Amino acid sequence: MTEHLKSLALVLRERFKESIADCAIAFGEITLTVPPEISLTVIQALRDEADFKFEMLIDIAGVDYLAYGVDEWATDEATGQGFSRGVEKASFGRFRFEDAPAPIKHQGPRFAVTYHLLSISRNERLRVRVFCEDDEAPVVDSVTGIWASADWFEREAFDLYGIMFDGHPDLRRILTDYGFVGHPFRKDFPLIGNVEMRYDPEQGRVIYQPVTIEPRVLVPKVIRNDHRYIDQVAEEKPAGA
């Protein structure tokens, strides 16, 4: 942790005081957590005030904390050998979506939006995080009025996470098809999807149909050339062969 980061964090805490929920330094980066009702005010100040001057918006990303901190791997006591370290399943990756148990939910809001800012004049970076208050209908204010470049970033977060941006001039899907059902980056979305597309020569157009891909376990089979397998082969080998 450099003195430069400590100094910037101190200025942020002093400027916004009780307005922010948290200002943390981790992995050489500062994350400023801001309540949604004042997010635009804080972000505007970060861009315009001389102490900050974060002129450039680098990226906007959605985050789904549904099963944050829940791990399906026994990493504390397991050895580093083999492929059998999996314990109680925590995601939908290995099972049919309809048969999978509900994951353990993260305590606190499920969805958040992170803004990655850059101050060119001060050579500083900052991450601003805003949690959505409603898990069922996550909404935050659009920052397109502050940075026009936020347009496509917010559309991407809406498409992949289902996060709404209040005040966005044209909020619609940008990566998936217009008729796509669901939001692919949500942690409760099945890895094999709900539907698939194919071209129907009779109708002369692309149609949707229920997905036909069967899920399979992606655990490699490892065969080692040691005494365990050599002895087994010798025992199974028929006499006179």
Side-chain angles (χ1 to χ4, degrees), residues 111-131:
F111 294 102
V113 178
T114 59
Y115 306 85
H116 300 265
L117 311 182
L118 170 65
S119 173
I120 299 175
S121 57
R122 301 175 63 87
N123 191 26
E124 294 175 338
R125 293 179 182 269
L126 178 67
R127 179 187 299 109
V128 178
R129 179 173 57 181
V130 180
F131 281 101

Side-chain angles (χ1 to χ4, degrees), residues 77-98:
E77 300 179 359
T79 67
Q81 301 175 353
F83 295 90
S84 300
R85 290 174 286 161
V87 289
E88 188 70 20
K89 194 195 81 62
S91 65
F92 298 128
R94 300 180 181 177
F95 297 89
R96 286 182 176 273
F97 178 65
E98 58 268 18

Side-chain angles (χ1 to χ4, degrees), residues 44-93:
Q44 184 85 52
L46 290 172
R47 190 195 69 171
D48 296 340
E49 293 186 7
D51 288 338
F52 307 114
K53 285 293 182 181
F54 289 100
E55 309 100 337
M56 182 175 290
L57 174 67
I58 298 296
D59 192 15
I60 296 177
V63 185
D64 184 355
Y65 287 95
L66 178 65
Y68 179 75
V70 179
D71 198 350
E72 64 176 298
W73 296 100
T75 56
D76 294 333
E77 300 179 359
T79 67
Q81 301 175 353
F83 295 90
S84 300
R85 290 174 286 161
V87 289
E88 188 70 20
K89 194 195 81 62
S91 65
F92 298 128

